[in-house]
């Protein structure tokens, strides 16, 4: 079963298959009418039956721009599928915008090299005539220069009640390796509007150190 997740998971792409997604998350509008916006671009390509290549570009919880290239390799293709991910890229660290009256200088945005190992496992199932899948995706983001590290873990339950409809329930957690600092619940519905083209509409609810709510809009393309 290929659930067509919009993030990497244990299901590799078939050889020659391509997948592209773009999503926008708008979080809690304040009194001035402004909100935090996070955009992400994600792509996968099935290079061989045992190798999926991809790119993941977007922002993290601190609003820093991240850009990673990665490879996904299978560990197990039994009923419970397991895959290993290794990625490398740049993490943008935005300095606080400030003016130093002594020299008139301003804070700047810098980037740092990071590696991103990950491990994913998942399984498909059928319950009461409905197809579904369950997955756990974990990643570590390790800065090459100073060894700082962050960790993310996504737990996903997906259901396919209709041929062209998917329902996704996801619990997201992340932050420094020693003390993950955010958790949120992210349900969404995905419609296949045309063969290979999907529209995702979702929401987020902050459970710990995250914005109280958010709205997500995503577009998927498989070809």
């Amino acid at each position: 079963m290929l659930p067509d997740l919009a993030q990497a998971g244990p299901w590799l792409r078939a050889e020659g298959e391509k997948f592209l997604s773009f999503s926008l998350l708008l979080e809690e509008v304040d009194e001035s009418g402004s909100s935090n916006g996070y955009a992400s671009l994600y792509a996968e390509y099935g290079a061989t039956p045992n190798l999926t290549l991809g790119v993941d570009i977007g922002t993290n919880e601190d609003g820093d721009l991240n850009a990673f290239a990665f490879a996904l390799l299978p560990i197990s293709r039994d009923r419970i599928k397991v895959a290993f991910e290794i990625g490398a890229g740049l993490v943008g660290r935005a300095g606080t915008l400030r003016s130093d009256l002594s020299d008139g200088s301003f804070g700047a945005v810098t980037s740092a090299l990071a590696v991103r190992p990950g491990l994913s496992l998942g399984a498909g199932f059928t319950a009461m005539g409905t197809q579904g899948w369950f997955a756990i995706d974990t990643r570590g983001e390790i800065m090459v220069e100073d060894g700082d590290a962050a960790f993310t873990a996504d737990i996903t339950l997906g259901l396919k009640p209709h041929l062209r409809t998917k329902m996704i329930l996801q619990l997201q957690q992340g932050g420094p390796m020693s003390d993950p600092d955010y958790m949120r619940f992210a349900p969404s519905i995905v419609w296949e509007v045309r063969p290979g083209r999907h529209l995702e509409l979702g929401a987020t609810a902050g459970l710990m150190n995250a914005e109280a709510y958010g709205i997500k809009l995503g577009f998927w393309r498989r070809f």
Side-chain angles (χ1 to χ4, degrees):
M1 179 184 294
L2 256 179
D4 283 332
L5 294 177
Q7 297 294 334
W11 290 271
L12 275 70
R13 296 285 158 187
E15 185 173 6
E17 185 180 71
K18 306 175 187 68
F19 176 81
L20 179 68
S21 75
F22 175 79
S23 64
L24 179 65
L25 174 64
L26 297 177
E27 293 186 330
E28 198 170 3
V29 180
D30 60 25
E31 295 180 355
S32 66
S34 62
S35 64
N36 294 324
Y38 305 98
S40 64
L41 178 68
Y42 183 90
E44 287 183 341
Y45 170 67
T48 73
N50 294 313
L51 176 64
T52 291
L53 302 176
V55 294
D56 186 2
I57 303 171
T59 56
N60 62 16
E61 286 302 307
D62 296 321
D64 301 330
L65 179 65
N66 294 353
F68 283 92
F70 65 87
L72 193 63
L73 303 166
I75 295 177
S76 171
R77 286 182 160 169
D78 297 330
R79 184 176 182 275
I80 296 179
K81 295 173 173 57
V82 184
F84 172 71
E85 176 187 328
I86 183 64
L90 296 176
V91 175
R93 291 179 168 179
T96 302
L97 185 60
R98 60 179 177 79
S99 175
D100 189 332
L101 296 180
S102 63
D103 59 11
S105 63
F106 287 86
V109 176
T110 61
S111 60
L113 182 64
V115 294
R116 192 178 73 175
L119 187 68
S120 299
L121 63 88
F125 63 86
T126 300
M128 295 182 291
T130 300
Q131 291 182 329
W133 72 93
F134 176 79
I136 300 176
D137 301 312
T138 62
R139 293 188 185 91
E141 190 176 286
I142 305 168
M143 310 304 296
V144 173
E145 182 178 357
D146 54 20
D148 285 350
F151 175 81
T152 63
D154 297 336
I155 300 175
T156 305
L157 174 65
L159 297 173
K160 192 175 181 181
H162 186 270
L163 181 63
R164 297 183 179 276
T165 305
K166 296 180 178 69
M167 300 176 62
I168 300 174
L169 304 176
Q170 190 172 75
L171 184 65
Q172 304 169 346
Q173 183 178 10
M177 293 287 283
S178 58
D179 183 23
D181 63 357
Y182 76 85
M183 181 182 294
R184 63 190 175 200
F185 177 58
S188 63
I189 300 178
V190 181
W191 296 276
E192 186 176 18
V193 293
R194 289 186 179 181
R197 300 184 181 185
H198 298 75
L199 174 65
E200 179 184 16
L201 181 61
T204 62
L207 303 178
M208 182 177 67
N209 297 328
E211 296 290 351
Y213 64 87
I215 298 175
K216 179 182 180 181
L217 180 64
F219 301 93
W220 304 2
R221 180 76 166 95
R222 187 183 66 194
F223 50 96

